[in-house]
Amino acid sequence: MPQTLSSTSMFTPCGFSPHNLHPSKEDDEGGLIFQDGNLTSASLDALIQHLIPTAEYYPEKAYIFTFLLSSRLFIEPHELLSRVCHKCIEQQQLDDPVLDKTRIRKFGPKILQLLTEWTETFPYDFQEERMIGCLKDIIHRIAPCDEAYWKKMNQLLQTLNQKLATLNHGKEGIVKINAAVSDKVVAFKSKPPSIQREMLSVCSDPYTLAQQLTHVELERLSHIGPEEFVQAFVHKDPLESTKPCFSEQKTSNLEAYVKWFNRLCYLVATEICMPAKKKQRAQVIEFFIDVARECFNIGNFNSLMAIISGMNMSPVSRLKKTWSKVKTAKFFILEHQMDPTGNFYNYRTALRGAAHRSLTAHSNREKIVIPFFSLLIKDIYFLNEGCANRLPNGHVNFEKFLELAKQVGEFITWKQVECPFERDANIIHYLHTAPIFTEDGLYLASYESESPENQTEKERWKTLRSTILGKT
């Protein structure tokens, strides 16, 4: 049922694996706790210090991603960057009248690399002027030691601005979902020609529609920043303040993607309930079954689940005379694949298969993995709720965030795949703008197609005809 861009070197060909963290520098007094070679807990100050490069030390990429992802539960990005820069100034004595150029020339490339990884993986953090200010300040302090630092800073800022511009332009370019409903169209169901276009007149090939759905999915996924998965579940950190780390939860791209899933559910149900004739409705059902099967083959599990959910909505599933005309064997196979039994065991098995195919792929077509997004959110939610952010001694529970980074890092890899299919603007426009029924509109269309079977349905039908169509 409907649900209520990073550095490529960061991810190995075998997938992102933050569990491979090893203590690159031992710090017995810094509050870092390791177990079996993995960092499991530490004080927030110790974790910040572990992030800061020196002339001799640079943190592992996996650590950088894990900490930058999870730290926002405890400290806002601009505060973190400010503290990092302040500690760098202290440790490298960047306020001294005469700088140690030899040491700074060893330190400079490392701080530039850290800032580069941060801007590439979490570009939305740098929409704040305070972030840009900190970045420029630290580079200005080291630049006198090497003129090349000015050029590198300009390149970094240019790349960041281009990335943010692309992301923002892309979001504006996505056709806005049509919020308008078309319940009153039900009144014209029996009057040909149809008052609205239908999917089959726009695209009658299941494989083509599955490809265009994949375009929509990957385009929308590309705008979701990894930090949104953490910011969706921000709570108060009792050791820091009485306020959450974010006064305004920055999860707009994530929320927009969930709305897309809901729209696709209702679009499928609307397309099925709209035709006046039983034979046409059965034809639409069989068409969407084939589309769902092609989505499964592509690795587009989110569209697959939306289509199945749309066909399982009560206004559709009650159309028994229509379903009697449908060859349902393929539908039952797809339902079995997405069966929630055993915590979606069948789906998770198929997802692992698609993920393995992606790792060994020789083409973008084989790399496509679009997970059932609401279940991914649910997994992350239960991971967050099931484990405390802090241990009883006040340490950050870093072991929890290793697992979080593993799940989010895998998603980051998947969302970076470039869609290999040719884009059909007409079909994509229809998917975003075709009118859809509300739940009440779906029930009314369903009752108009196949009469109510019991008194409850009859009373609801009468109420809906009165409220939507103005009939008694």
Side-chain angles (χ1 to χ4, degrees), residues 174 208-222 257 260 298 300 303 368 370 417-425 428 431-432:
I174 292 179
T208 300
L209 182 56
Q211 290 179 334
Q212 299 312 304
L213 286 169
T214 302
H215 257 292
V216 174
E217 299 280 355
L218 287 173
E219 188 173 17
R220 289 187 169 274
L221 283 178
S222 69
Y257 190 54
W260 152 252
I298 288 172
N300 181 357
S303 290
I368 296 172
I370 302 173
V417 174
E418 186 176 338
C419 190
F421 308 122
E422 186 176 350
R423 192 175 191 274
D424 189 312
I428 289 176
L431 289 169
H432 282 111

Side-chain angles (χ1 to χ4, degrees), residues 345-471:
Y345 176 81
N346 293 337
Y347 158 70
R348 292 182 190 277
T349 301
L351 181 67
R352 284 196 300 272
H356 179 73
R357 179 187 67 187
S358 179
L359 291 173
T360 58
H362 299 291
S363 67
N364 278 345
R365 165 66 185 81
E366 296 173 317
K367 289 180 181 178
I368 296 172
V369 183
I370 302 173
F372 172 28
F373 196 67
S374 292
L375 187 59
L376 175 62
I377 295 292
K378 182 180 176 183
D379 288 344
I380 292 174
Y381 172 80
F382 281 114
L383 170 62
N384 186 64
E385 292 297 308
C387 303
N389 290 339
R390 288 189 185 268
L391 301 178
N393 64 358
H395 275 196
V396 172
N397 182 4
F398 202 73
E399 193 169 17
K400 166 185 176 176
F401 297 121
L402 289 172
E403 183 58 36
L404 176 66
K406 180 183 178 182
Q407 293 190 24
V408 175
E410 195 169 40
F411 169 80
I412 295 285
T413 303
W414 294 338
K415 85 184 186 82
Q416 290 176 332
V417 174
E418 186 176 338
C419 190
F421 308 122
E422 186 176 350
R423 192 175 191 274
D424 189 312
N426 189 39
I427 297 173
I428 289 176
H429 186 266
Y430 184 87
L431 289 169
H432 282 111
T433 62
I436 57 173
F437 293 143
T438 61
E439 186 174 4
D440 282 346
L442 285 172
Y443 271 107
L444 178 56
S446 181
Y447 295 145
E448 294 284 322
S449 296
E450 295 186 19
S451 299
E453 295 184 343
N454 54 54
Q455 191 59 36
T456 301
E457 287 191 344
K458 288 178 181 178
E459 290 176 1
R460 185 170 190 179
W461 185 25
K462 183 178 179 181
T463 301
L464 292 173
R465 284 176 66 85
S466 175
T467 56
I468 296 176
L469 303 181
K471 293 183 179 182

